[in-house]
Amino acid sequence: MNSVWIVDDDRSIRWVLEKALAREEIPYKSFGTAAEVLAALDSATQPPQVLVSDIRMPGESGLALLSKGKARFPQMPVIIMTAYSDLESAVAAFQGGAFEYLPKPFDVDQAVELVRRAIDESAHQAGAVEELSSVPEILGQAPAMQEVFRAIGRLALSHATVLINGESGT
């Protein structure tokens, strides 16, 4: 089992998450800066199961780490934490591909549950890669279908539930 990587410049936040994950027998590694994580990702053959990162840290921000981490390992779930919760940072995190946005202070049990959901997502993504090869191609050249394809492309990286409906046979 890959571990959960925690990166936060605040030692007390790392300590709380470490104790909570240890209590749940979830392996983890902790880092104090984004630079340490990026160096570890560069030498890693496999990504962590989940990356939990603060946004505001000395040096590179958590959003920069999110971008670089997703470039190297696109399927890696990243949970972004922040004590400075605002709409702009939340939107930036989700647009960057964050799995979830966790405002501080957080409930430790809720944070662990969120990590577990991200681990499940990570395991599902690993299995889903094999399933994709058996999925038939969606066909359609009509302008309406092209718009559906564009919508699918825009929503493919989000975690939103989407329902596409139409008349039977279309």
Side-chain angles (χ1 to χ4, degrees):
M1 175 185 212
N2 293 346
S3 58
V4 173
W5 289 9
I6 304 164
V7 57
D8 198 316
D9 59 320
D10 185 341
R11 180 177 288 150
S12 62
I13 296 292
R14 291 194 317 261
W15 184 85
V16 166
L17 286 172
E18 289 168 2
K19 296 303 174 201
L21 293 175
R23 183 183 69 219
E24 298 293 321
E25 299 180 357
I26 299 172
Y28 64 86
K29 289 183 184 178
S30 289
F31 303 88
T33 67
E36 293 173 15
V37 175
L38 289 170
L41 283 174
D42 284 341
S43 63
T45 56
Q46 286 188 331
Q49 260 192 311
V50 179
L51 176 62
V52 181
S53 176
D54 190 17
I55 284 185
R56 293 188 184 179
M57 298 179 284
E60 291 205 65
S61 73
L63 293 177
L65 175 60
L66 170 66
S67 174
K68 291 177 180 179
K70 284 294 209 174
R72 173 124 161 97
F73 297 108
Q75 301 301 324
M76 174 180 62
V78 179
I79 298 170
I80 295 293
M81 304 181 292
T82 185
Y84 307 96
S85 183
D86 60 19
L87 182 61
E88 185 178 317
S89 63
V91 168
F94 283 118
Q95 285 180 336
F99 176 78
E100 193 60 74
Y101 186 80
L102 183 64
K104 296 178 188 175
F106 52 81
D107 178 71
V108 175
D109 293 332
Q110 184 181 17
V112 169
E113 181 58 33
L114 185 58
V115 168
R116 285 200 178 281
R117 278 193 10 237
I119 289 171
D120 291 344
E121 177 72 18
S122 178
H124 175 74
Q125 291 290 341
V129 172
E130 294 174 15
E131 294 173 18
L132 288 178
S133 61
S134 65
V135 175
E137 184 178 342
I138 301 174
L139 301 176
Q141 295 180 3
M145 281 305 296
Q146 293 302 312
E147 183 57 36
V148 170
F149 295 151
R150 282 191 285 281
I152 290 169
R154 287 190 302 268
L155 295 168
L157 295 177
S158 78
H159 295 286
T161 301
V162 177
L163 171 66
I164 299 173
N165 59 15
E167 293 184 33
S168 181
T170 60

